[in-house]
């Protein structure tokens, strides 16, 4: 089954001006009616690191989950954040960023890769107790600009290690938009085939000029889990580089419609969400 994960958290987290809590709640409640599989709605991280997400708890309290099938995902960077998030039964998934770049792991979570792997074990254990599922994002999954050693074999090794740790969902993140279509297809196809018990997703960042070839490559590689953000807004503020926007959800919807995939999207709710996005991201 094709799964479309909408990521307003990724769109909002690097926005220069603080988005009022009530505005976030209205936007997220609208997105909950569209029909996405999962909503990456917020993060339980240090407000000093990501000020925009300081009100995630208040936002969560304002969400209307009574008439939606969309599941909620929150990003955490350490065990403390996971413990906070797991106090809320409404959260179905925790997302943890594990970078293949030592440089970026330090920037993003203030930890080494070795320490981050320990955190994966700790968070996975917490998730088991709460019957919440862990999504590990392999950031810099298609290469990195920092000069750290990278190869497809390293990606495969880390994915296999995560599988051995019991992680059932791995999303390959093209954090700074360096992926090529060839690399996307080769890596996703290998992981889909070699780790059939693991759900493989992609969190791509792209421009209007090369988005389709990357999505096509992941789709042809057997990937059926795709992250996007309306209007393609966002990018990781911890990258400290010129940000390449998120994969535009409207592009993804058009692509999957052409492929004959029925995502059961509520078009009226989608248009309302797009109007709200226009008023927020100005």
């Amino acid at each position: 089954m094709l799964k479309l994960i909408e990521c307003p958290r990724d769109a909002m987290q690097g926005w220069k001006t603080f988005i009022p809590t009530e505005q976030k709640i209205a936007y997220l409640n609208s997105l909950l009616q569209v029909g996405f599989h999962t909503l990456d709605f917020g993060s339980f991280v240090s407000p000093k690191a990501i000020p925009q997400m300081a009100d995630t708890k208040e936002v969560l309290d304002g969400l209307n989950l009574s008439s939606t099938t969309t599941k909620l995902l929150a990003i955490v960077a350490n065990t403390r954040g996971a413990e906070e998030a797991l106090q809320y039964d409404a959260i179905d998934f925790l997302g943890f960023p594990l970078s293949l770049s030592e440089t970026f792991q330090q920037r993003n979570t203030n930890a080494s890769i070795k320490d981050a792997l320990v955190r994966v074990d700790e968070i996975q254990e917490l998730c088991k107790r709460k019957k919440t599922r862990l999504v590990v994002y392999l950031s810099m999954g298609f290469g990195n600009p920092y000069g750290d050693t990278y190869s497809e074999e390293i990606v495969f090794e880390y994915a296999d290690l995560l599988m051995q740790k019991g992680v059932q969902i791995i999303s390959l993140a093209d954090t700074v938009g360096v992926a090529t279509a060839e690399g996307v297809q080769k890596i996703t196809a290998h992981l889909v085939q070699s780790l059939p018990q693991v759900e493989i997703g992609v969190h791509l960042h792209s421009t209007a000029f090369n988005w389709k070839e990357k999505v096509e490559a992941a789709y042809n590689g057997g990937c059926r889990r795709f992250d996007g953000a309306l209007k393609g807004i966002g990018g990781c503020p911890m990258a400290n580089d010129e940000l390449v926007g998120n994969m535009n959800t409207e592009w993804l919807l058009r692509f999957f419609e052409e492929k004959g995939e029925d995502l059961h999207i509520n078009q009226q709710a989608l248009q309302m969400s797009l109007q709200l996005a226009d008023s927020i991201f100005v």
Side-chain angles (χ1 to χ4, degrees):
M1 182 182 72
L2 189 73
K3 296 179 181 179
L4 190 55
I5 288 73
E6 177 63 18
C7 303
R9 183 270 318 166
D10 205 0
M12 292 188 285
Q13 67 179 3
W15 200 249
K16 302 297 184 187
T17 55
F18 187 77
I19 301 166
T21 302
E22 289 305 314
Q23 206 168 13
K24 289 174 182 164
I25 291 171
Y27 185 47
L28 293 172
N29 276 329
S30 178
L31 290 170
L32 284 168
Q33 299 306 310
V34 175
F36 299 114
H37 180 274
T38 301
L39 197 65
D40 175 356
F41 79 97
S43 59
F44 290 80
V45 299
S46 166
K48 291 181 180 178
I50 309 290
Q52 191 69 253
M53 294 290 105
D55 59 351
T56 288
K57 295 175 186 177
E58 291 78 12
V59 167
L60 181 56
D61 287 338
L63 298 186
N64 179 7
L65 303 173
S66 63
S67 60
T68 183
T69 59
T70 299
K71 302 180 185 303
L72 295 182
L73 181 150
I75 296 294
V76 299
N78 52 38
T79 308
R80 180 198 56 75
E83 290 171 339
E84 275 191 86
L86 290 172
Q87 294 176 23
Y88 297 88
D89 292 336
I91 296 175
D92 302 282
F93 300 97
L94 294 189
F96 179 79
L98 176 66
S99 181
L100 300 181
S101 157
E102 189 72 51
T103 304
F104 188 69
Q105 189 71 52
Q106 290 285 354
R107 282 188 180 188
N108 201 30
T109 64
N110 196 30
S112 67
I113 293 176
K114 182 179 179 181
D115 289 340
L117 286 168
V118 173
R119 293 180 185 182
V120 168
D121 289 331
E122 294 171 346
I123 296 169
Q124 175 78 332
E125 187 57 38
L126 290 170
C127 285
K128 285 179 183 177
R129 293 179 202 166
K130 288 285 290 186
K131 295 184 178 178
T132 302
R133 301 184 73 187
L134 175 62
V135 181
V136 174
Y137 291 87
L138 276 181
S139 64
M140 305 297 167
F142 299 102
N144 71 78
Y146 303 119
D148 302 294
T149 302
Y150 172 87
S151 69
E152 293 170 356
E153 287 68 31
I154 291 174
V155 181
F156 302 154
E157 287 171 10
Y158 274 89
D160 187 66
L161 177 60
L162 291 171
M163 181 272 294
Q164 293 176 37
K165 290 176 176 291
V167 175
Q168 296 179 324
I169 307 172
I170 298 172
S171 188
L172 301 162
D174 183 22
T175 315
V176 289
V178 299
T180 65
E182 181 183 8
V184 169
Q185 181 159 347
K186 187 174 181 181
I187 291 171
T188 53
H190 176 86
L191 293 180
V192 167
Q193 293 166 18
S194 64
L195 301 177
Q197 66 275 59
V198 177
E199 183 178 334
I200 302 297
V202 290
H203 181 102
L204 300 171
H205 289 227
S206 195
T207 67
F209 301 104
N210 61 4
W211 72 271
K212 190 170 186 178
E213 61 194 52
K214 294 184 185 182
V215 175
E216 185 101 49
Y219 186 84
N220 290 342
C223 177
R224 292 297 181 269
R225 179 188 177 92
F226 291 82
D227 286 16
L230 289 188
K231 299 186 172 295
I233 296 163
C236 180
M238 308 308 287
N240 291 347
D241 298 295
E242 185 178 345
L243 295 180
V244 179
N246 281 299
M247 183 60 69
N248 190 317
T249 300
E250 298 105 290
W251 298 343
L252 288 173
L253 290 171
R254 187 165 69 244
F255 176 86
F256 294 131
E257 184 178 1
E258 291 172 358
K259 292 294 183 183
E261 300 277 3
D262 188 357
L263 293 174
H264 305 287
I265 295 298
N266 180 328
Q267 291 295 330
Q268 185 175 359
L270 176 62
Q271 292 309 311
M272 174 61 71
S273 297
L274 286 167
Q275 289 177 27
L276 288 171
D278 281 338
S279 67
I280 293 171
F281 302 107
V282 292

Short mmCIF file of all heavy atoms in Angstrom, two decimals, residues 153-211:
data_model
loop_
_atom_site.label_atom_id
_atom_site.label_comp_id
_atom_site.label_asym_id
_atom_site.label_seq_id
_atom_site.Cartn_x
_atom_site.Cartn_y
_atom_site.Cartn_z
N GLU A 153 27.42 1.04 0.11
CA GLU A 153 27.64 -0.08 1.03
C GLU A 153 27.44 0.36 2.48
O GLU A 153 26.94 -0.41 3.31
CB GLU A 153 29.04 -0.66 0.84
CG GLU A 153 29.23 -1.48 -0.43
CD GLU A 153 29.17 -0.63 -1.71
OE1 GLU A 153 29.56 0.57 -1.65
OE2 GLU A 153 28.71 -1.16 -2.74
N ILE A 154 27.85 1.61 2.80
CA ILE A 154 27.66 2.12 4.17
C ILE A 154 26.16 2.23 4.46
O ILE A 154 25.70 1.88 5.56
CB ILE A 154 28.36 3.48 4.33
CG1 ILE A 154 29.88 3.30 4.29
CG2 ILE A 154 27.94 4.14 5.65
CD1 ILE A 154 30.67 4.60 4.30
N VAL A 155 25.39 2.71 3.49
CA VAL A 155 23.94 2.78 3.66
C VAL A 155 23.38 1.40 3.95
O VAL A 155 22.58 1.21 4.89
CB VAL A 155 23.26 3.36 2.41
CG1 VAL A 155 21.74 3.46 2.62
CG2 VAL A 155 23.82 4.73 2.06
N PHE A 156 23.80 0.40 3.16
CA PHE A 156 23.29 -0.96 3.33
C PHE A 156 23.67 -1.51 4.70
O PHE A 156 22.86 -2.18 5.36
CB PHE A 156 23.83 -1.87 2.23
CG PHE A 156 23.50 -1.41 0.83
CD1 PHE A 156 24.32 -1.76 -0.26
CD2 PHE A 156 22.38 -0.63 0.58
CE1 PHE A 156 24.02 -1.34 -1.53
CE2 PHE A 156 22.08 -0.19 -0.71
CZ PHE A 156 22.90 -0.55 -1.77
N GLU A 157 24.89 -1.23 5.14
CA GLU A 157 25.36 -1.73 6.44
C GLU A 157 24.52 -1.16 7.59
O GLU A 157 24.12 -1.89 8.50
CB GLU A 157 26.84 -1.38 6.64
CG GLU A 157 27.80 -2.20 5.79
CD GLU A 157 29.23 -1.67 5.87
OE1 GLU A 157 29.48 -0.79 6.73
OE2 GLU A 157 30.07 -2.12 5.07
N TYR A 158 24.27 0.15 7.53
CA TYR A 158 23.49 0.77 8.60
C TYR A 158 22.03 0.31 8.57
O TYR A 158 21.42 0.10 9.63
CB TYR A 158 23.58 2.29 8.52
CG TYR A 158 24.79 2.85 9.23
CD1 TYR A 158 26.01 3.01 8.57
CD2 TYR A 158 24.73 3.19 10.58
CE1 TYR A 158 27.12 3.49 9.24
CE2 TYR A 158 25.83 3.68 11.25
CZ TYR A 158 27.04 3.83 10.58
OH TYR A 158 28.14 4.31 11.24
N ALA A 159 21.47 0.15 7.38
CA ALA A 159 20.09 -0.33 7.28
C ALA A 159 19.99 -1.74 7.85
O ALA A 159 19.03 -2.07 8.57
CB ALA A 159 19.63 -0.30 5.83
N ASP A 160 20.97 -2.58 7.54
CA ASP A 160 20.97 -3.95 8.07
C ASP A 160 21.11 -3.94 9.58
O ASP A 160 20.45 -4.71 10.29
CB ASP A 160 22.10 -4.74 7.43
CG ASP A 160 22.05 -6.23 7.79
OD1 ASP A 160 21.08 -6.90 7.37
OD2 ASP A 160 22.95 -6.71 8.50
N LEU A 161 21.97 -3.06 10.10
CA LEU A 161 22.15 -2.95 11.55
C LEU A 161 20.85 -2.52 12.23
O LEU A 161 20.47 -3.07 13.28
CB LEU A 161 23.26 -1.94 11.85
CG LEU A 161 23.54 -1.64 13.33
CD1 LEU A 161 23.97 -2.90 14.07
CD2 LEU A 161 24.62 -0.56 13.46
N LEU A 162 20.15 -1.57 11.63
CA LEU A 162 18.88 -1.12 12.20
C LEU A 162 17.85 -2.24 12.19
O LEU A 162 17.07 -2.39 13.14
CB LEU A 162 18.35 0.09 11.42
CG LEU A 162 19.16 1.38 11.60
CD1 LEU A 162 18.68 2.45 10.62
CD2 LEU A 162 19.06 1.90 13.03
N MET A 163 17.84 -3.02 11.13
CA MET A 163 16.92 -4.17 11.07
C MET A 163 17.22 -5.14 12.21
O MET A 163 16.32 -5.64 12.87
CB MET A 163 17.06 -4.86 9.71
CG MET A 163 16.14 -6.07 9.51
SD MET A 163 16.86 -7.63 10.11
CE MET A 163 18.23 -7.82 8.97
N GLN A 164 18.52 -5.39 12.45
CA GLN A 164 18.90 -6.29 13.53
C GLN A 164 18.50 -5.74 14.90
O GLN A 164 18.25 -6.51 15.84
CB GLN A 164 20.41 -6.53 13.50
CG GLN A 164 20.89 -7.31 12.28
CD GLN A 164 22.41 -7.43 12.24
OE1 GLN A 164 23.05 -7.60 13.27
NE2 GLN A 164 22.99 -7.36 11.05
N LYS A 165 18.41 -4.42 15.01
CA LYS A 165 17.98 -3.79 16.25
C LYS A 165 16.45 -3.79 16.40
O LYS A 165 15.92 -3.30 17.40
CB LYS A 165 18.49 -2.34 16.32
CG LYS A 165 20.00 -2.22 16.51
CD LYS A 165 20.44 -0.75 16.46
CE LYS A 165 21.92 -0.59 16.76
NZ LYS A 165 22.25 -0.90 18.17
N GLY A 166 15.76 -4.30 15.40
CA GLY A 166 14.30 -4.39 15.47
C GLY A 166 13.56 -3.23 14.87
O GLY A 166 12.33 -3.15 14.97
N VAL A 167 14.27 -2.30 14.21
CA VAL A 167 13.61 -1.16 13.56
C VAL A 167 12.87 -1.66 12.33
O VAL A 167 13.46 -2.33 11.47
CB VAL A 167 14.63 -0.07 13.18
CG1 VAL A 167 13.96 1.06 12.40
CG2 VAL A 167 15.32 0.47 14.43
N GLN A 168 11.59 -1.32 12.23
CA GLN A 168 10.76 -1.85 11.14
C GLN A 168 10.47 -0.83 10.04
O GLN A 168 9.92 -1.19 9.00
CB GLN A 168 9.45 -2.39 11.71
CG GLN A 168 9.65 -3.57 12.65
CD GLN A 168 8.35 -4.07 13.23
OE1 GLN A 168 7.44 -3.30 13.53
NE2 GLN A 168 8.24 -5.38 13.39
N ILE A 169 10.81 0.44 10.28
CA ILE A 169 10.59 1.47 9.27
C ILE A 169 11.85 2.31 9.15
O ILE A 169 12.31 2.90 10.14
CB ILE A 169 9.40 2.39 9.61
CG1 ILE A 169 8.14 1.57 9.90
CG2 ILE A 169 9.13 3.36 8.45
CD1 ILE A 169 6.98 2.41 10.42
N ILE A 170 12.43 2.36 7.94
CA ILE A 170 13.61 3.17 7.67
C ILE A 170 13.28 4.10 6.51
O ILE A 170 12.83 3.66 5.45
CB ILE A 170 14.82 2.29 7.29
CG1 ILE A 170 15.21 1.36 8.46
CG2 ILE A 170 16.02 3.16 6.89
CD1 ILE A 170 16.28 0.33 8.08
N SER A 171 13.49 5.39 6.72
CA SER A 171 13.27 6.36 5.66
C SER A 171 14.60 6.97 5.25
O SER A 171 15.33 7.51 6.09
CB SER A 171 12.31 7.46 6.12
OG SER A 171 11.94 8.30 5.06
N LEU A 172 14.93 6.87 3.99
CA LEU A 172 16.19 7.39 3.46
C LEU A 172 16.03 8.88 3.16
O LEU A 172 15.21 9.26 2.32
CB LEU A 172 16.58 6.64 2.19
CG LEU A 172 16.76 5.13 2.37
CD1 LEU A 172 16.71 4.43 1.01
CD2 LEU A 172 18.06 4.82 3.08
N ALA A 173 16.80 9.70 3.85
CA ALA A 173 16.62 11.15 3.74
C ALA A 173 17.72 11.78 2.90
O ALA A 173 18.91 11.62 3.19
CB ALA A 173 16.58 11.78 5.13
N ASP A 174 17.30 12.50 1.87
CA ASP A 174 18.23 13.26 1.04
C ASP A 174 18.29 14.68 1.61
O ASP A 174 17.76 15.62 1.03
CB ASP A 174 17.73 13.27 -0.41
CG ASP A 174 18.67 13.99 -1.35
OD1 ASP A 174 19.86 14.12 -1.01
OD2 ASP A 174 18.21 14.43 -2.42
N THR A 175 18.94 14.81 2.76
CA THR A 175 18.81 15.99 3.61
C THR A 175 19.14 17.30 2.92
O THR A 175 18.51 18.33 3.17
CB THR A 175 19.71 15.82 4.86
OG1 THR A 175 19.52 14.49 5.38
CG2 THR A 175 19.37 16.83 5.93
N VAL A 176 20.14 17.30 2.05
CA VAL A 176 20.52 18.55 1.38
C VAL A 176 20.37 18.48 -0.14
O VAL A 176 20.93 19.28 -0.88
CB VAL A 176 21.96 18.96 1.75
CG1 VAL A 176 22.03 19.44 3.20
CG2 VAL A 176 22.94 17.83 1.53
N GLY A 177 19.57 17.51 -0.61
CA GLY A 177 19.19 17.48 -2.01
C GLY A 177 20.28 17.06 -2.98
O GLY A 177 20.28 17.50 -4.13
N VAL A 178 21.20 16.18 -2.54
CA VAL A 178 22.31 15.78 -3.43
C VAL A 178 22.05 14.48 -4.18
O VAL A 178 22.86 14.06 -4.99
CB VAL A 178 23.63 15.65 -2.64
CG1 VAL A 178 24.01 16.97 -2.01
CG2 VAL A 178 23.54 14.54 -1.58
N ALA A 179 20.92 13.84 -3.92
CA ALA A 179 20.64 12.54 -4.53
C ALA A 179 20.53 12.63 -6.05
O ALA A 179 20.08 13.63 -6.60
CB ALA A 179 19.35 11.95 -3.97
N THR A 180 20.94 11.55 -6.70
CA THR A 180 20.71 11.39 -8.13
C THR A 180 19.66 10.31 -8.32
O THR A 180 19.48 9.44 -7.46
CB THR A 180 21.99 10.97 -8.86
OG1 THR A 180 22.40 9.66 -8.39
CG2 THR A 180 23.11 11.97 -8.61
N ALA A 181 18.97 10.34 -9.45
CA ALA A 181 17.96 9.33 -9.73
C ALA A 181 18.57 7.93 -9.73
O ALA A 181 17.99 6.98 -9.19
CB ALA A 181 17.29 9.62 -11.07
N GLU A 182 19.75 7.80 -10.31
CA GLU A 182 20.41 6.50 -10.36
C GLU A 182 20.69 5.96 -8.96
O GLU A 182 20.43 4.79 -8.65
CB GLU A 182 21.73 6.61 -11.14
CG GLU A 182 22.49 5.29 -11.26
CD GLU A 182 23.83 5.46 -11.97
OE1 GLU A 182 24.23 6.61 -12.23
OE2 GLU A 182 24.46 4.43 -12.26
N GLY A 183 21.20 6.85 -8.09
CA GLY A 183 21.49 6.43 -6.73
C GLY A 183 20.24 6.08 -5.95
O GLY A 183 20.21 5.11 -5.19
N VAL A 184 19.19 6.88 -6.12
CA VAL A 184 17.93 6.62 -5.42
C VAL A 184 17.38 5.26 -5.80
O VAL A 184 16.98 4.46 -4.93
CB VAL A 184 16.90 7.73 -5.73
CG1 VAL A 184 15.52 7.34 -5.22
CG2 VAL A 184 17.33 9.05 -5.10
N GLN A 185 17.35 4.96 -7.10
CA GLN A 185 16.77 3.67 -7.52
C GLN A 185 17.63 2.50 -7.04
O GLN A 185 17.10 1.50 -6.55
CB GLN A 185 16.60 3.63 -9.04
CG GLN A 185 15.98 2.30 -9.51
CD GLN A 185 15.34 2.41 -10.87
OE1 GLN A 185 15.13 3.50 -11.40
NE2 GLN A 185 14.99 1.27 -11.45
N LYS A 186 18.94 2.63 -7.16
CA LYS A 186 19.81 1.51 -6.78
C LYS A 186 19.70 1.20 -5.29
O LYS A 186 19.59 0.04 -4.89
CB LYS A 186 21.25 1.84 -7.15
CG LYS A 186 22.22 0.68 -6.95
CD LYS A 186 23.61 1.03 -7.47
CE LYS A 186 24.58 -0.14 -7.31
NZ LYS A 186 25.94 0.19 -7.80
N ILE A 187 19.71 2.25 -4.47
CA ILE A 187 19.68 2.04 -3.02
C ILE A 187 18.31 1.55 -2.56
O ILE A 187 18.22 0.59 -1.77
CB ILE A 187 20.08 3.35 -2.30
CG1 ILE A 187 21.57 3.64 -2.55
CG2 ILE A 187 19.81 3.24 -0.80
CD1 ILE A 187 22.02 5.00 -2.07
N THR A 188 17.25 2.18 -3.04
CA THR A 188 15.92 1.74 -2.59
C THR A 188 15.63 0.33 -3.07
O THR A 188 15.10 -0.49 -2.30
CB THR A 188 14.82 2.70 -3.07
OG1 THR A 188 14.92 2.89 -4.49
CG2 THR A 188 14.91 4.04 -2.39
N ALA A 189 15.96 0.01 -4.30
CA ALA A 189 15.70 -1.33 -4.82
C ALA A 189 16.44 -2.38 -4.01
O ALA A 189 15.89 -3.44 -3.67
CB ALA A 189 16.10 -1.41 -6.30
N HIS A 190 17.71 -2.11 -3.69
CA HIS A 190 18.49 -3.07 -2.91
C HIS A 190 17.86 -3.29 -1.54
O HIS A 190 17.71 -4.45 -1.09
CB HIS A 190 19.93 -2.59 -2.75
CG HIS A 190 20.76 -3.48 -1.89
ND1 HIS A 190 21.44 -4.58 -2.38
CD2 HIS A 190 21.01 -3.47 -0.55
CE1 HIS A 190 22.06 -5.19 -1.39
NE2 HIS A 190 21.82 -4.53 -0.26
N LEU A 191 17.49 -2.21 -0.85
CA LEU A 191 16.96 -2.36 0.50
C LEU A 191 15.57 -2.99 0.50
O LEU A 191 15.27 -3.82 1.36
CB LEU A 191 16.92 -0.99 1.19
CG LEU A 191 18.29 -0.38 1.50
CD1 LEU A 191 18.13 0.97 2.18
CD2 LEU A 191 19.13 -1.31 2.36
N VAL A 192 14.73 -2.63 -0.46
CA VAL A 192 13.40 -3.23 -0.55
C VAL A 192 13.52 -4.74 -0.76
O VAL A 192 12.78 -5.53 -0.15
CB VAL A 192 12.58 -2.58 -1.68
CG1 VAL A 192 11.33 -3.40 -2.01
CG2 VAL A 192 12.19 -1.16 -1.31
N GLN A 193 14.47 -5.15 -1.58
CA GLN A 193 14.64 -6.58 -1.88
C GLN A 193 15.35 -7.34 -0.77
O GLN A 193 15.00 -8.48 -0.45
CB GLN A 193 15.39 -6.74 -3.19
CG GLN A 193 14.62 -6.26 -4.41
CD GLN A 193 15.48 -6.12 -5.66
OE1 GLN A 193 16.58 -6.67 -5.73
NE2 GLN A 193 15.00 -5.36 -6.63
N SER A 194 16.35 -6.70 -0.15
CA SER A 194 17.17 -7.42 0.83
C SER A 194 16.60 -7.37 2.24
O SER A 194 16.94 -8.22 3.08
CB SER A 194 18.60 -6.85 0.86
OG SER A 194 18.60 -5.49 1.28
N LEU A 195 15.72 -6.41 2.51
CA LEU A 195 15.11 -6.29 3.84
C LEU A 195 13.58 -6.29 3.71
O LEU A 195 12.91 -5.29 3.99
CB LEU A 195 15.57 -5.01 4.54
CG LEU A 195 17.08 -4.83 4.75
CD1 LEU A 195 17.37 -3.47 5.38
CD2 LEU A 195 17.65 -5.95 5.61
N PRO A 196 13.01 -7.41 3.28
CA PRO A 196 11.56 -7.44 3.03
C PRO A 196 10.72 -7.20 4.28
O PRO A 196 9.55 -6.82 4.19
CB PRO A 196 11.33 -8.84 2.46
CG PRO A 196 12.49 -9.66 2.97
CD PRO A 196 13.64 -8.72 3.00
N GLN A 197 11.31 -7.43 5.46
CA GLN A 197 10.56 -7.24 6.71
C GLN A 197 10.58 -5.80 7.18
O GLN A 197 9.94 -5.45 8.18
CB GLN A 197 11.12 -8.15 7.81
CG GLN A 197 12.53 -7.86 8.27
CD GLN A 197 13.61 -8.52 7.41
OE1 GLN A 197 13.70 -8.28 6.21
NE2 GLN A 197 14.43 -9.35 8.04
N VAL A 198 11.33 -4.93 6.47
CA VAL A 198 11.45 -3.53 6.83
C VAL A 198 10.73 -2.67 5.80
O VAL A 198 10.86 -2.89 4.60
CB VAL A 198 12.93 -3.10 6.93
CG1 VAL A 198 13.06 -1.62 7.24
CG2 VAL A 198 13.67 -3.94 7.98
N GLU A 199 9.96 -1.69 6.27
CA GLU A 199 9.31 -0.74 5.37
C GLU A 199 10.33 0.35 5.01
O GLU A 199 10.85 1.03 5.90
CB GLU A 199 8.10 -0.12 6.06
CG GLU A 199 7.30 0.84 5.19
CD GLU A 199 6.09 1.39 5.92
OE1 GLU A 199 5.57 0.72 6.83
OE2 GLU A 199 5.67 2.51 5.57
N ILE A 200 10.61 0.47 3.72
CA ILE A 200 11.61 1.44 3.24
C ILE A 200 10.89 2.65 2.66
O ILE A 200 10.05 2.53 1.77
CB ILE A 200 12.53 0.81 2.18
CG1 ILE A 200 13.25 -0.42 2.75
CG2 ILE A 200 13.53 1.85 1.67
CD1 ILE A 200 14.17 -0.14 3.91
N GLY A 201 11.24 3.83 3.16
CA GLY A 201 10.66 5.07 2.66
C GLY A 201 11.72 6.02 2.17
O GLY A 201 12.93 5.78 2.33
N VAL A 202 11.28 7.12 1.56
CA VAL A 202 12.22 8.17 1.14
C VAL A 202 11.69 9.52 1.58
O VAL A 202 10.50 9.80 1.53
CB VAL A 202 12.46 8.19 -0.39
CG1 VAL A 202 13.27 6.99 -0.83
CG2 VAL A 202 11.16 8.29 -1.17
N HIS A 203 12.61 10.33 2.06
CA HIS A 203 12.33 11.72 2.43
C HIS A 203 13.25 12.57 1.54
O HIS A 203 14.39 12.85 1.90
CB HIS A 203 12.63 11.94 3.92
CG HIS A 203 12.34 13.33 4.39
ND1 HIS A 203 11.20 13.65 5.10
CD2 HIS A 203 13.04 14.48 4.26
CE1 HIS A 203 11.23 14.95 5.39
NE2 HIS A 203 12.32 15.48 4.88
N LEU A 204 12.73 12.92 0.37
CA LEU A 204 13.54 13.59 -0.64
C LEU A 204 13.38 15.10 -0.56
O LEU A 204 12.30 15.62 -0.26
CB LEU A 204 13.14 13.10 -2.03
CG LEU A 204 13.31 11.60 -2.29
CD1 LEU A 204 12.67 11.22 -3.63
CD2 LEU A 204 14.78 11.22 -2.29
N HIS A 205 14.47 15.79 -0.84
CA HIS A 205 14.45 17.25 -1.01
C HIS A 205 14.82 17.50 -2.48
O HIS A 205 15.75 16.88 -3.00
CB HIS A 205 15.45 17.93 -0.09
CG HIS A 205 15.05 17.88 1.35
ND1 HIS A 205 15.10 19.00 2.17
CD2 HIS A 205 14.59 16.88 2.13
CE1 HIS A 205 14.68 18.67 3.38
NE2 HIS A 205 14.38 17.39 3.39
N SER A 206 14.10 18.39 -3.12
CA SER A 206 14.34 18.54 -4.54
C SER A 206 13.86 19.89 -5.05
O SER A 206 13.09 20.59 -4.39
CB SER A 206 13.63 17.42 -5.31
OG SER A 206 14.11 17.33 -6.62
N THR A 207 14.33 20.23 -6.25
CA THR A 207 13.88 21.45 -6.93
C THR A 207 12.84 21.08 -7.97
O THR A 207 12.59 19.90 -8.25
CB THR A 207 15.06 22.14 -7.63
OG1 THR A 207 15.49 21.30 -8.72
CG2 THR A 207 16.21 22.37 -6.68
N ALA A 208 12.25 22.10 -8.56
CA ALA A 208 11.25 21.87 -9.61
C ALA A 208 11.85 21.21 -10.84
O ALA A 208 11.14 20.65 -11.68
CB ALA A 208 10.60 23.19 -10.00
N PHE A 209 13.17 21.24 -10.96
CA PHE A 209 13.83 20.75 -12.17
C PHE A 209 14.16 19.26 -12.13
O PHE A 209 14.30 18.63 -13.18
CB PHE A 209 15.10 21.56 -12.44
CG PHE A 209 14.84 23.03 -12.60
CD1 PHE A 209 15.14 23.92 -11.58
CD2 PHE A 209 14.28 23.53 -13.76
CE1 PHE A 209 14.89 25.27 -11.71
CE2 PHE A 209 14.01 24.89 -13.91
CZ PHE A 209 14.32 25.77 -12.88
N ASN A 210 14.31 18.69 -10.92
CA ASN A 210 14.73 17.29 -10.88
C ASN A 210 13.91 16.41 -9.94
O ASN A 210 14.31 15.31 -9.62
CB ASN A 210 16.21 17.20 -10.50
CG ASN A 210 16.50 17.77 -9.11
OD1 ASN A 210 15.59 18.19 -8.41
ND2 ASN A 210 17.76 17.80 -8.75
N TRP A 211 12.75 16.90 -9.53
CA TRP A 211 11.96 16.15 -8.56
C TRP A 211 11.43 14.84 -9.14
O TRP A 211 11.47 13.79 -8.48
CB TRP A 211 10.80 16.99 -8.04
CG TRP A 211 9.69 17.20 -9.04
CD1 TRP A 211 9.58 18.21 -9.96
CD2 TRP A 211 8.55 16.36 -9.23
NE1 TRP A 211 8.45 18.06 -10.71
CE2 TRP A 211 7.79 16.94 -10.29
CE3 TRP A 211 8.09 15.19 -8.64
CZ2 TRP A 211 6.60 16.37 -10.74
CZ3 TRP A 211 6.90 14.62 -9.08
CH2 TRP A 211 6.17 15.22 -10.13
#
